[in-house]
Amino acid sequence: MARFLFSAFADEASGNISEQIAACKKNGIDYIELRNCDGKNISDFTIEEAKALKARLDEGGIKVSSIGSHYGKIEITDDFAPHFEAFKNTVEVAKILDAKYIRMFSFYFLNGESFEEYHDEVFARMSAMVDYANENGVLCCHENERGIYGDTPERALEIAEYFGDRIGNIFDPANYIINGNPTKPGFDALKDKITYMHIKDAIAATQTVVPAGEGEGELEYILKELDKKDGVYFLSVEPHLKVFDGLKSLEVSDELALKMDEKYSYPDNNASFAAACSAIHSLIEKKVQPVRLGVIGTGNMGSSHIKSYANGSHSGLRLTACADIVPERADKMKEYVPGIKVFYTAEELIDSGEVDAVIIATPHYSHSPIAQYAFSKGIHVMTEKPAGVYTKQVREMNEAAAKSGLVFGIMYNQRTNCVYRKLREIVRSGELGEIRRVSWIITDWYRTQAYYNSGGWRATWAGEGGGVLLNQCPHNLDLWQWICGMPCKIRAVVHEGKWHNIEVEDDVTIYAEYPNGATGTFITSTGDCPGTNRLEITLDGGKIICDNGSKLSLYRLKGRLSDHIMNSPEGFGKLEGEWEEVETDGRNRQHVEVVSKFASAITNGTELVARGEEGINGLNISNAAHLSSWLGKEITLPVDEDLYYSMLQEKIKAGNAEKETVTGAVQGDMSSTF
């Protein structure tokens, strides 16, 4: 679930820093791993030269990912003192350039020195550099260069484990291949230690470097595995392709000089650099993160998805575009994802050709029309909850999805919660028999009047189409039916504006009946403090209690209620049983799992967390609850969608969409909500 940032050793395009910047810009590279510029190695820069370089990089719009230094690239028997003094200066250079990483090595053993004999010296020298850098806010990152102590996965892992968080680790597939070490087992051993990647590929038999994906480096496998991890990773392109005349000067011996495959020979350095950059872009875009995602609506939830992507929490996709009808709100997303394309209507984004899929995070009424437009243009859709305001509109969206054959998901992230997954598994397994009664008290949605005053659309029939049932409880209503099945009848009392000055409901009690005769209650409010979140399910063979969505308790009866009630000879006899603490797998990935599985469904045909068509189920319950309260009678499901729609229009006409108390204040972040 990673976000990849592209960097490069741009000195392989040109020795001139202005030309390096131009080459990066031309080839979709936003960062540079500095090594040589204007005829001078970065490790030899003075403080004043570093300041001048920073100004040129800033002007060119290029940032520094790492200092590509040569530190630790001397013989283990060489004098370390001058090497270390120069290193101290480079740490200061790194700070000026806003580079949080310095590449380092673990010393050459080219003269037959014993690894065992000089083991302690290697770690003492590395410790001096690692600790000094850490004290100055810079992280040393060890690269697996040929001929050094850490040139095998085993010794690289030893270094990583010895230093722990004090050191970073660079994985270079080509260096392992040339050194006779298969990359896949090496990566599997080191993947939890990797800080960033050097992108080089190689062929062992000919000892040659080739573009990414053309050799034996298993780069597709490696990057797909890295993509499953949370975090932001630099992919630093180090071309080493034919025509790079400066390569030999970087090696200390002819024995270590990397050969270049004649098949991949280029007329000049710019061409070879472009080929290397193109190879990694192609690999990421076609194989590793093929789905181009757009987010429509950049308010609380939409911006939350964008920030989550920026932090490296999704896999299989690249965020390429966003849209919002408030231009400044859409433009702000560039702060989190530089380079993101910004649009000011959903239609512009969908028509742009920049996306394969969208997340719709707009107000409730617009979910369906935007989704239908996206399907008509061949775009996959993930909609935020609720699916819509009324079932007639959502059914039309479902029909459009079915006709398109595209992937359609809904953001029911609470289905990823290990507690609810386990609860559903127990209930649906039948091990405890049929459901007899279900009761959910979910009143921990406390909101103040200030919350409702924060937006003109909030808590209005025209803006949201409902209150606590449409805004706070869609996840609970979905989980209720997902775990227990759909009820067949609903009777409800829905209080509108009972605890707040609003026109929609803020206090609800629902009574439900199921086809098998079971009954249920669902009680919710935004006016209780402290609130309660307690779900109880009574089955023929026991009772399950879920408290606060975080703890499951099971009372397992030694028999069945249906049998004991009818056949026990004791009038006051009770069926024995005992409490059990229910264990779960502990996994609760929430939104990131929903989005990542959405991407996987598009590329691999795998299952979604929740199909978009399922959004109509919970909405059927909330529509029925409203209709029951408005009409004062029991409602049979599915709800009469035409009747509900007509009565909703009456509520809208009688409502006050233009509130006088709007403050426009943003009500915190979304971390405490579903």
Side-chain angles (χ1 to χ4, degrees), residues 339-352:
I340 192 172
K341 300 292 179 62
V342 173
F343 302 93
Y344 304 125
T345 70
E347 292 78 11
E348 287 176 356
L349 183 148
I350 291 167
D351 290 338
S352 68

Side-chain angles (χ1 to χ4, degrees), residues 270-290:
N270 271 313
S272 68
F273 184 77
C277 294
S278 176
I280 186 58
H281 280 305
S282 179
L283 190 56
I284 295 298
E285 293 168 10
K286 294 180 180 179
K287 300 291 182 66
V288 181
Q289 295 178 333

Side-chain angles (χ1 to χ4, degrees), residues 358 360 367-368 371 375 380-388 390-391 393-402 406-412 415 478 481 594 597-598 601 606-620:
V358 293
I360 301 171
H367 291 182
S368 178
F375 289 135
H380 306 281
V381 171
M382 169 67 66
T383 182
E384 267 293 347
K385 55 80 185 172
Y390 50 94
T391 56
Q393 183 187 48
V394 172
R395 179 178 52 76
E396 292 169 351
M397 178 171 61
N398 289 353
E399 290 169 353
L406 296 161
V407 175
F408 180 32
I410 187 166
M411 192 62 70
Y412 281 149
R415 290 193 187 187
D478 172 64
Q481 65 84 28
V594 177
K597 285 192 172 181
F598 176 52
T606 53
E607 289 187 7
L608 294 159
V609 169
R611 294 170 55 249
E613 292 85 350
E614 296 177 70
I616 202 168
N617 296 337
L619 192 60
N620 242 311

Side-chain angles (χ1 to χ4, degrees), residues 393-650:
Q393 183 187 48
V394 172
R395 179 178 52 76
E396 292 169 351
M397 178 171 61
N398 289 353
E399 290 169 353
K403 182 179 179 181
S404 73
L406 296 161
V407 175
F408 180 32
I410 187 166
M411 192 62 70
Y412 281 149
N413 47 284
Q414 284 299 302
R415 290 193 187 187
T416 71
N417 187 319
C418 55
V419 172
Y420 294 126
R421 284 189 287 108
K422 188 65 177 180
L423 182 54
R424 182 176 191 267
E425 177 189 320
I426 294 170
V427 171
R428 293 298 181 103
S429 72
E431 65 175 288
L432 296 176
E434 288 192 322
I435 292 176
R436 297 169 66 90
R437 185 188 311 279
V438 56
S439 174
W440 200 341
I441 302 176
I442 175 72
T443 59
D444 57 351
W445 292 119
Y446 183 68
R447 297 291 188 269
T448 65
Q449 188 64 39
Y451 167 82
Y452 291 114
N453 290 348
S454 67
W457 57 276
R458 280 197 190 278
T460 64
W461 293 112
E464 287 192 283
V468 65
L469 290 176
L470 264 290
N471 197 336
Q472 282 76 39
C473 284
H475 285 295
N476 307 113
L477 293 172
D478 172 64
L479 290 170
W480 186 16
Q481 65 84 28
W482 186 60
I483 294 166
C484 302
M486 282 291 289
C488 57
K489 296 178 182 179
I490 292 289
R491 181 179 286 275
V493 177
V494 177
H495 293 282
E496 297 166 0
K498 183 173 184 177
W499 308 117
H500 306 85
N501 182 22
I502 57 176
E503 64 187 50
V504 295
E505 80 281 354
D506 59 359
D507 196 283
V508 176
T509 299
I510 299 173
Y511 168 77
E513 293 184 8
Y514 290 84
N516 73 338
T519 61
T521 56
F522 185 93
I523 300 171
T524 189
S525 176
T526 56
D528 285 16
C529 185
T532 299
N533 182 355
R534 184 179 178 89
L535 172 59
E536 294 189 8
I537 302 175
T538 300
L539 301 108
D540 202 22
K543 174 181 281 191
I544 311 170
I545 298 175
C546 177
D547 277 316
N548 298 314
S550 60
K551 180 182 178 182
L552 277 182
S553 300
L554 167 62
Y555 190 82
R556 190 183 299 274
L557 293 169
K558 297 178 180 178
R560 288 288 191 263
L561 282 169
S562 55
D563 177 66
H564 189 264
I565 288 171
M566 299 306 298
N567 299 311
S568 174
E570 301 175 14
F572 293 93
K574 290 186 178 180
L575 191 55
E576 293 183 356
E578 58 185 12
W579 286 103
E580 302 175 8
E581 290 295 325
V582 180
E583 293 186 3
T584 69
D585 60 17
R587 198 177 78 248
N588 187 10
R589 299 286 297 169
Q590 294 290 319
H591 299 87
V592 296
E593 182 173 341
V594 177
V595 176
S596 296
K597 285 192 172 181
F598 176 52
S600 181
I602 294 169
T603 55
N604 304 314
T606 53
E607 289 187 7
L608 294 159
V609 169
R611 294 170 55 249
E613 292 85 350
E614 296 177 70
I616 202 168
N617 296 337
L619 192 60
N620 242 311
I621 297 174
S622 65
N623 280 186
H626 278 126
L627 200 55
S628 172
S629 188
W630 295 340
L631 297 174
K633 69 176 187 178
E634 181 179 88
I635 300 297
T636 300
L637 274 66
V639 73
D640 183 330
E641 59 185 33
D642 290 324
L643 176 59
Y644 180 80
Y645 178 74
S646 66
M647 294 200 71
L648 175 63
Q649 300 313 301
E650 292 178 14

